Amino acid sequence: ATKQGDGSWTCAWDTRTGQAVEKWGRFDGPPPGELVGFVPGMQRLVRYGNDCELEMLDLNSGKTVRRYGTGQGADCHGKALLSPDARLLAASAAATHEIVVWDVESGELRAKFTAGSGDLYFVDFSFSADGSLLAVVYGRTAVLWDMATGAEQARISGEERLTGAHAFSPDGRLLALGVDGGIVLWDVADGREAGRLHVEPVRIMALAFSADG
């Protein structure tokens, strides 16, 4: 799926033929924001709608079948992502310093994380490979949420300010966090430091594990 530069059109493409199979727009009011992702096996696409609320679009009818609004002035260009199995949807609400998680199919609110204000600002967040954990990285802290219970599983804090770059290992056992001049590896189970890589004077802005970890 793609969107036009000004956001007024959304298109779905057949990758085998290179042809556009569906096209939606133009909209009255503000144009839609970012595309989030497809829901596998359901012919549906999650995106920010033209009213800056997250919605699930049916690709066959072009109609909205689910809305995930916070009712708190969500940012059309805030981060939102689906869990790897597309069962959960997480999105940031910068105005309220929150990350909200919904059940994709039912639209039910599953969890809400509030970091606070001032120096506690959101940097980034992501799901583990199996979707069981959500890592939220801000300031000098990374928090791991258990998606089954909605409870905090671990909190990692230190003296170093995090760059926001982070990645789960494929097996979910480690969380790599970027800091100024290095990478810190944390054990997800107990929240303890498991290793450190020094790469000074580079500021780490992106991280990824190989497929075998």
Side-chain angles (χ1 to χ4, degrees), residues 102-188:
W102 297 272
D103 181 281
V104 169
E105 179 56 25
S106 69
E108 178 184 356
L109 180 67
R110 289 286 300 273
K112 184 182 290 187
F113 176 84
T114 303
S117 58
D119 290 336
L120 298 181
Y121 60 91
F122 289 120
V123 177
D124 206 356
F125 57 96
S126 65
F127 286 99
S128 59
D130 63 1
S132 65
L133 295 174
L134 180 74
V136 181
V137 182
Y138 64 94
R140 293 180 172 84
T141 302
V143 180
L144 298 178
W145 273 5
D146 185 315
M147 289 293 93
T149 64
E152 181 179 309
Q153 174 172 304
R155 179 176 292 261
I156 300 167
S157 298
E159 296 299 321
E160 300 163 297
R161 181 171 289 278
L162 305 176
T163 66
H166 69 285
F168 281 101
S169 61
D171 61 9
R173 295 174 58 189
L174 296 175
L175 177 67
L177 296 171
V179 298
D180 287 336
I183 300 166
V184 183
L185 300 174
W186 294 90
D187 187 295
V188 169

Side-chain angles (χ1 to χ4, degrees), residues 1 3 13 48 51 59 82 84 102 120 145 160:
K3 70 168 186 174
W13 301 83
Y48 277 104
D51 57 358
L59 299 182
L82 292 165
W102 297 272
L120 298 181
W145 273 5
E160 300 163 297

Side-chain angles (χ1 to χ4, degrees), residues 66-98:
R66 183 82 66 239
R67 296 175 65 82
Y68 310 93
T70 63
Q72 298 172 326
D75 180 1
C76 276
H77 300 283
K79 179 172 179 176
L81 77 160
L82 292 165
S83 60
D85 59 8
R87 294 174 57 192
L88 299 175
L89 170 65
S92 60
T96 57
H97 297 274
E98 292 178 329

